[in-house]
Amino acid sequence: MAGRDLRALFSTNDRQVEAGEAFTNRQGQWQIVQAALGEHLARMSAAGFDVEDLEAPRSNVLVFHGVGGIGKTTLSRTLEAALTATGSRPVRWGEPSWPARPALLPVRIDLARSAGVDFERVVLTLRLALAAHLGRPLPAFDIALRRYWEHQHPGESLEEYLSRGGLTARFGKALPQQMQSALGDVAQALLLPGSIGSAVGQITGALTSALRERRQTVRALAGCPLLADLLDAEPDIDALSYYPYLLAWELARLPADKAVVPVVLFDTFEDTGDRTHRDLERLLQRIVWLMPNAFFIVTGRSRLQWADPALQGQLDYTGPTAWPGLTQQAVPGPRPAGGPGNGRQVLVGDFSPQDCDTYLARRLVKDGQPLIGAELRAVITGRSHGLPLYLDLAVLRFLELRRAGHTPAPADFDADFPALITRTLADLTPDERHILRSVSLLDAFDLPLATATAGLPHQAAAARLVERPFVRENPYALWPYHLHALIRSTLRTADDATDDRWTDADWQAAAERALAALGEQWRTTSGPGRRLLVGCLRQGLALARDHRLDLGWLTDAAYAYTDDYVWEPLPLPARTDDGDELATPADALAELLSTLARRQHEHRARTAERLTTILDTGLLPAELTEMALYYRAKAHRDLGQSAASRDGMRQVADGGGRLAPDAARGLAHLARAAGDFPTALATAHTLGWPGRGQRVLGDIHFAHGDMTQAAAAYTAARTEAEQHGNTGEQAIAQAHLALTLAFTDPAQASAEVTLAEQLLAGLDQRATTLTTQIAALVRDAGTPGPDIEDRAALLRTEITTAGITAAALLLELALVLHHTMRGDTTAAQGDIARLEELTRTGNYAYYVDIAHFITGLPAAGPSPAHWTDGPQTTRQRWRTLVTARHNTPNAGS
């Protein structure tokens, strides 16, 4: 669309700079307009369409709404131009599909307060546009309008008014003459003396009587059933709002070669009032309702609420039956730019990155080339989040920097524009502004969370705010609402020059309310438990970290997060300051939980290193220091560092805190690793559910080759976990059960491996996943071909990357079984050699014993293990197991 950016032109002395009014393609919205107009024209030509039907639902309005600065006004102007002349239509929009007749007459009316448009001017603009297009009177409407004018503006010429207001310059001088012609025709039809041809009161009085008496002299107007009633009514602004009915009636009577469909573009609709004062909106709605043969395109910040039954009494026509295309429905987010929208209410989305670049490249041009370079355009595009207002402000900043003799660089745009705040807050009530600032502290929110964060006693303001287009909705998210990213960041970081700007103390108080509200939701909401926990932790940790808040409920939530062994990632947004060192308890807790989640994807040595760094800060309270100590001790155990692990476990167990039972289990594992099975067994019997005693018993029985008791213990552990709703523990117990049965009953093991995989779906348990994969390897042990070796090689690499010693031992033991069943003694001896290397520190040395039990090969020396029922019994169990596997139908070759 052709145009000049005057602000840009008057911001520089460089006359070689061409400042164009860039219009970025809105082809998606044009396609919606085409489709809606096509449906409207088809509906008008249908047999049942009746312009006088005052009860039929209306589908003659299309709404484009979006945040301030998204390009709605530019879209409205471009639509007007595209509907006026083919040459003004963007090439990519293509040709319209509607017929040449009836003709379309676009009439754009800017309702902005700055435009000074009142309801009279709206009605006059419509009539003037038709006067210029048709060149003929519309008697029913013209007579009523003339009566209104004489009554409301005594002594003021309509022609002078139109000329003074600029409407004559826009549409010409045809209307006063057409109105006078209509009056003269009626006076002549009524045989009134010519001298009173301009006496409107007498003419309309006589006409009303003639209409009510059904005289043939006024048969041309007698078909308008409500004309007499409108002429009888007091000619005030309320009556004027019903005159569009007469306009619609006149348009319906035009001959086919003169037929016209007004396309009225109401722009800046948000300036018609607010949710309490809807006087102008009510009058405009009457125009839309009473002119079903016209089409209306509304652009504004908010959707039209006309389909809301609750507005009955504030507006004349409300409810979903009256406005079926304006009903609000949930739209899964994020809502894309140019998308199809929701019925006849279309959110004007953000620009795509390509559109942003095009906009910036076309706005400022010098010597035929974009003045803003590609690298800088990419930086501005990234910071804009697709918001055209930001791009516009960035262009002005670019010119300001050049004017100061500075070459604009990417770093110059690492700042927000306070004007974004002003534009966003412009039409919000004080409560809505308060809630908007409050929820800018949150990644996402619902109505109760927003209300509590703002500290308000009722949800009404929050309910109004979420209908604004800068609030995006995803009905399937934990919290359905979130702010437009750029508006959120600007509210939090830009210099706020508004009258009700917040102080630092205000922001701090809101952060405290937000953290407390999240904790209350987590404690009191029945579901979805785990999902809600993680969501509250993410948002709560960020708030506590950025605003240096006390941990409070976050400590309990951290323990709830670790209790289930699920380990979802907990990515937090970047810190609001530039530092990356741990400075507060919230910093330390966030890093602790992040480390525990990341350990599923890092070497255990890195986990231990991270946890040591956290502990060295001394920032964690005692309860959480215990958590860091325990998981560092677990990492040491996985690394085979039993002494360090034992020291950590002992500290936690002796402390008697929440993790004392877990630390006792850790000590039992360490005793088993040292081959001290009697101690491990005695400890296992004291653990119960808190210490996962059944799983520990299963591990001990498995090492002894007592697969029946091991399977029973793991089954009991899984049942306990299910009863306590602990999915993570269920998966661990199931994986070990699958491994146990894989040694004794490969057929049954297949089902158990499948169940383990199902339980692991959605969990992030690296060690348990490895156990399940090894169980599948044991199940298939003895099968011919290279498959087992290939799978084992991949597993060995993954285990080495993870640094989990116990998994490495299990893998080599699985290979010992496989090679023994294949009769490959040499390969089995190689497996034993790797086991000896893995256990050379003395930890888990009993795995070498088990390997000899499986192969029947003699051990090099006495075993350091203290078996609960002696080495011979254990040896016999393992040898019996191998013999049984050899005798299964699918074993070996």
Side-chain angles (χ1 to χ4, degrees):
M1 184 171 109
R4 306 298 289 162
D5 182 358
L6 296 180
R7 281 189 305 163
L9 284 173
F10 281 87
S11 298
T12 178
N13 290 329
D14 190 345
R15 295 295 170 250
Q16 293 181 312
V17 173
E18 299 178 20
E21 188 182 54
F23 177 73
T24 302
N25 181 41
R26 290 288 192 182
Q27 187 171 359
Q29 282 83 4
W30 170 247
Q31 291 171 346
I32 293 170
V33 170
Q34 276 191 289
L37 263 173
E39 291 174 12
H40 178 70
L41 295 172
R43 187 166 46 252
M44 285 179 55
S45 63
F49 181 78
D50 182 3
V51 74
E52 297 178 27
D53 188 343
L54 300 176
E55 298 179 354
R58 296 302 195 250
S59 299
N60 60 331
V61 62
L62 176 63
V63 182
F64 291 107
H65 63 106
V67 298
I70 202 66
K72 301 180 296 297
T73 292
T74 303
L75 174 64
S76 179
R77 289 173 177 162
T78 308
L79 289 172
E80 178 192 28
L83 292 168
T84 301
T86 302
S88 299
R89 186 182 308 125
V91 176
R92 284 188 289 176
W93 283 14
E95 294 295 324
S97 56
W98 48 75
R101 285 291 175 187
L104 299 181
L105 175 62
V107 186
R108 184 175 175 275
I109 302 174
D110 189 351
L111 299 170
R113 296 186 185 96
S114 59
V117 175
D118 57 16
F119 185 70
E120 273 188 359
R121 191 177 177 91
V122 170
V123 174
L124 288 171
T125 299
L126 286 173
R127 180 62 186 95
L128 281 162
L130 287 166
H133 179 82
L134 293 171
R136 59 187 288 168
L138 300 175
F141 179 86
D142 290 348
I143 293 169
L145 179 61
R146 184 61 180 263
R147 177 172 181 262
Y148 168 86
W149 191 262
E150 295 288 342
H151 191 274
Q152 293 295 326
H153 298 267
E156 182 178 13
S157 163
L158 176 61
E159 188 169 6
E160 292 177 1
Y161 175 87
L162 296 176
S163 179
R164 186 172 63 251
L167 291 174
T168 298
R170 179 180 175 187
F171 296 105
K173 301 181 179 181
L175 179 57
Q177 291 83 352
Q178 291 179 17
M179 291 176 66
Q180 190 64 35
S181 174
L183 284 170
D185 290 345
V186 171
Q188 184 177 2
L190 293 170
L191 302 177
L192 295 175
S195 60
I196 64 169
S198 60
V200 178
Q202 293 185 43
I203 293 176
T204 55
L207 175 60
T208 302
S209 298
L211 290 172
R212 295 199 183 282
E213 293 168 9
R214 295 181 172 83
R215 297 182 203 167
Q216 288 298 309
T217 54
V218 290
R219 61 182 178 275
L221 296 174
C224 185
L226 296 178
L227 175 58
D229 298 283
L230 288 173
L231 294 177
D232 263 345
E234 179 72 17
D236 55 16
I237 196 74
D238 193 60
L240 179 64
S241 69
Y242 290 100
Y243 292 178
Y245 163 82
L246 303 174
L247 207 55
W249 182 80
E250 291 280 13
L251 292 176
R253 295 174 64 246
L254 291 173
D257 61 337
K258 295 288 186 179
V260 62
V261 174
V263 180
V264 183
L265 298 105
F266 284 141
D267 190 26
T268 327
F269 202 83
E270 68 272 11
D271 278 3
T272 60
D274 55 38
R275 295 159 191 261
T276 303
H277 304 93
R278 296 180 181 267
D279 296 334
L280 179 55
E281 183 180 4
R282 183 175 65 253
L283 300 178
L284 293 172
Q285 191 205 51
R286 285 177 186 166
I287 294 179
V288 179
W289 185 269
L290 296 173
M291 296 187 69
N293 50 351
F295 191 76
F296 296 83
I297 300 176
V298 175
T299 46
R301 291 195 176 192
S302 302
R303 66 179 184 87
L304 289 185
Q305 297 177 295
W306 298 353
D308 186 350
L311 292 185
Q312 187 173 9
Q314 292 190 69
L315 301 176
D316 293 347
Y317 311 98
T318 58
T321 301
W323 305 97
L326 301 183
T327 55
Q328 185 184 25
Q329 299 172 1
V331 180
R335 292 176 255 192
N342 172 31
R344 292 296 178 87
Q345 305 251 39
V346 182
L347 181 72
V348 182
D350 303 330
F351 282 178
S352 68
Q354 295 79 7
D355 281 349
C356 290
D357 186 77
T358 300
Y359 178 97
L360 293 169
R362 292 179 180 176
R363 271 291 297 273
L364 300 176
V365 177
K366 185 174 183 178
D367 299 330
Q369 297 297 317
L371 192 60
I372 305 176
E375 180 184 358
L376 187 53
R377 294 201 306 269
V379 171
I380 297 172
T381 293
R383 287 190 57 80
S384 75
H385 291 273
L387 188 64
L389 175 58
Y390 182 93
L391 302 177
D392 182 53
L393 295 170
V395 167
L396 296 179
R397 174 170 285 178
F398 179 90
L399 291 172
E400 180 185 354
L401 292 168
R402 287 182 83 247
R403 189 166 60 245
H406 176 71
T407 301
D412 294 319
F413 294 86
D414 287 339
D416 294 304
F417 295 110
L420 285 172
I421 299 178
T422 306
R423 291 286 295 273
T424 302
L425 300 179
D427 60 338
L428 301 183
T429 66
D431 278 355
E432 290 169 357
R433 293 155 77 105
H434 182 72
I435 286 185
L436 177 61
R437 288 190 172 98
S438 300
V439 298
S440 71
L441 294 168
L442 299 168
D443 294 335
F445 57 93
D446 56 16
L447 295 184
L449 185 57
T451 303
T453 298
L456 295 179
H458 48 74
Q459 292 185 8
R464 294 194 302 269
L465 183 72
V466 298
E467 294 178 357
R468 300 285 182 167
F470 52 74
V471 178
R472 304 301 169 85
E473 182 180 5
N474 179 1
Y476 306 113
L478 178 61
W479 293 287
Y481 305 111
H482 63 277
L483 294 183
H484 184 286
L486 180 59
I487 290 174
R488 182 187 177 210
S489 67
T490 304
L491 282 166
R492 297 181 66 188
T493 60
D495 293 332
D496 188 346
T498 56
D499 292 338
D500 59 350
R501 60 186 176 274
W502 277 9
T503 65
D504 291 342
D506 292 329
W507 284 107
Q508 188 70 14
E512 291 172 358
R513 291 193 300 267
L515 182 62
L518 286 165
E520 185 66 16
Q521 275 207 357
W522 172 58
R523 287 194 179 101
T524 60
T525 303
S526 57
R530 185 74 192 182
R531 189 174 169 217
L532 180 63
L533 165 66
V534 173
C536 288
L537 264 177
R538 283 177 180 152
Q539 296 216 67
L541 283 170
L543 284 165
R545 179 197 65 186
D546 293 344
H547 298 273
R548 295 177 175 266
L549 305 178
D550 293 336
L551 295 180
W553 62 269
L554 290 169
T555 297
D556 290 337
Y559 271 98
Y561 171 76
T562 59
D563 281 348
D564 286 347
Y565 315 139
V566 177
W567 312 119
E568 305 95 329
L570 281 170
L572 300 186
R575 295 163 61 98
T576 54
D577 54 38
D578 295 329
D580 56 1
E581 294 185 359
L582 305 182
T584 67
D587 284 330
L589 177 56
E591 179 63 16
L592 170 59
L593 296 181
S594 176
T595 297
L596 297 185
R598 284 185 294 186
R599 74 195 179 103
Q600 306 300 325
H601 307 279
E602 291 181 340
H603 196 280
R604 288 298 196 265
R606 180 63 177 138
T607 301
E609 178 186 334
R610 290 183 188 276
L611 292 171
T612 298
T613 299
I614 295 168
L615 287 165
D616 288 346
T617 66
L619 292 169
L620 290 173
E623 278 188 292
L624 293 170
T625 297
E626 171 189 279
M627 181 183 290
L629 280 171
Y630 170 73
Y631 281 100
R632 185 176 67 173
K634 282 195 71 173
H636 285 149
R637 189 188 76 208
D638 288 339
L639 293 167
Q641 300 169 5
S642 294
S645 180
R646 190 173 291 105
D647 287 344
M649 292 293 183
R650 181 58 62 195
Q651 284 187 65
V652 176
D654 291 346
R658 300 194 207 194
L659 289 175
D662 298 83
R665 180 177 72 252
L667 290 171
H669 285 318
L670 289 167
R672 174 170 57 83
D676 186 0
F677 288 106
T679 298
L681 184 61
T683 304
H685 286 304
T686 68
L687 295 176
W689 161 250
R692 312 299 189 258
Q694 288 292 344
R695 173 152 58 89
V696 176
L697 284 172
D699 293 341
I700 295 169
H701 292 312
F702 175 87
H704 285 75
D706 191 347
M707 300 307 184
T708 301
Q709 288 202 61
Y714 288 135
T715 301
R718 185 188 64 190
T719 301
E720 281 186 335
E722 186 176 0
Q723 291 170 346
H724 286 84
N726 192 317
T727 306
E729 177 63 23
Q730 276 184 264
I732 295 171
Q734 179 60 35
H736 283 84
L737 176 61
L739 177 68
T740 299
L741 293 174
F743 276 95
T744 59
D745 191 343
Q748 184 181 351
S750 291
E752 303 298 342
V753 167
T754 299
L755 178 57
E757 291 170 344
Q758 291 171 350
L759 289 173
L760 282 166
L763 304 184
D764 200 357
Q765 294 184 351
R766 194 174 197 178
T768 307
T769 300
L770 291 171
T771 300
T772 303
Q773 292 171 334
I774 294 169
L777 206 67
V778 173
R779 176 199 61 195
D780 300 334
T783 55
D787 178 61
I788 295 291
E789 303 290 349
D790 292 344
R791 288 158 60 189
L794 291 173
L795 277 171
R796 189 178 289 115
T797 299
E798 188 173 347
I799 290 168
T800 301
T801 301
I804 302 175
T805 301
L809 295 165
L810 277 176
L811 175 61
E812 298 305 332
L813 195 65
L815 288 173
V816 168
L817 176 65
H818 171 67
H819 291 134
T820 299
M821 294 181 65
R822 297 295 301 157
D824 191 342
T825 303
T826 301
Q829 288 174 331
D831 301 330
I832 292 174
R834 283 190 293 274
L835 281 170
E836 289 172 342
E837 178 62 24
L838 288 168
T839 61
R840 59 187 172 82
T841 61
N843 292 314
Y844 298 103
Y846 66 86
Y847 271 89
V848 178
D849 291 347
I850 295 174
H852 284 102
F853 297 161
I854 289 174
T855 60
L857 296 173
S863 169
H866 300 284
W867 303 100
T868 58
D869 43 10
Q872 292 304 320
T873 302
T874 304
R875 171 190 289 272
Q876 186 58 44
R877 289 197 191 101
W878 280 106
R879 286 301 298 156
T880 301
L881 182 152
V882 174
T883 301
R885 281 294 300 267
H886 269 301
N887 292 332
T888 56
N890 60 343
S893 59

